[in-house]
């Protein structure tokens, strides 16, 4: 089945930037949309961004639109989340996942995705 492995999290001051990476381990996500989610303490996991299997289409939660950019490099089986202008409200564990169905996707819910990684902690200090 394989899974995705996230990295790149850390502690950053408000207004700063981080770039998260998501590498497929034991599987490929070529042909599948990839999503980023996050979960803050005491809250449900929420959708952040999605990129199509070709990389040609992206979709963002309103809370990150204009600040975050999702991208992918299928040759490296890797997806990225560039996060700029970070706020304390962005503090969470960030997860990437692959859509359960291949091809075009409008997936935005947790149940639409599989092969979840362990997550990477992002902490934004104010």
């Amino acid at each position: 089945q394989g899974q995705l492995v996230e990295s790149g999290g850390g502690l950053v001051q408000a207004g700063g930037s981080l770039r998260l990476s998501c590498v497929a381990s034991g599987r490929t996500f070529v042909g599948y949309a990839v999503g980023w989610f996050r979960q803050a303490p005491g809250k449900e996991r929420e959708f952040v961004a999605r990129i199509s299997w070709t990389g040609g289409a992206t979709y963002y939660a309103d809370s990150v639109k204009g600040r975050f950019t999702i991208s992918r490099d299928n040759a490296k089986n890797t997806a990225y989340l560039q996060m700029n202008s970070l706020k304390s409200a962005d503090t969470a564990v960030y997860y990437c996942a692959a859509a359960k169905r291949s091809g075009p996707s409008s997936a935005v819910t947790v149940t639409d995705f599989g092969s979840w990684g362990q997550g990477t902690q992002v902490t934004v200090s104010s």
Side-chain angles (χ1 to χ4, degrees):
Q1 185 79 7
Q3 68 177 46
L4 305 182
V5 180
E6 306 91 341
S7 63
L11 174 64
V12 63
Q13 288 188 333
S17 298
L18 282 174
R19 188 194 195 203
L20 306 184
S21 297
C22 168
V23 180
S25 175
R27 66 157 292 169
T28 177
F29 56 47
V30 174
Y32 294 81
V34 172
W36 283 95
F37 288 74
R38 65 187 182 187
Q39 188 166 18
K43 295 188 177 181
E44 293 188 352
R45 193 169 298 188
E46 66 173 1
F47 171 82
V48 173
R50 182 190 71 236
I51 188 166
S52 65
W53 66 284
T54 63
T58 57
Y59 182 74
Y60 298 91
D62 288 343
S63 59
V64 306
K65 200 173 296 182
R67 299 187 298 122
F68 290 11
T69 302
I70 188 171
S71 61
R72 67 189 296 165
D73 183 340
N74 285 338
K76 296 181 178 179
N77 230 10
T78 302
Y80 305 95
L81 185 68
Q82 177 67 43
M83 306 185 296
N84 298 329
S85 302
L86 283 162
K87 308 174 182 178
S88 57
D90 296 318
T91 295
V93 178
Y94 283 71
Y95 301 89
C96 65
K100 290 181 178 177
R101 293 187 175 185
S102 62
S105 174
S106 59
V108 295
T109 65
V110 170
T111 55
D112 291 330
F113 289 84
S115 299
W116 294 90
Q118 295 300 306
T120 185
Q121 176 70 48
V122 172
T123 303
V124 184
S125 62
S126 57

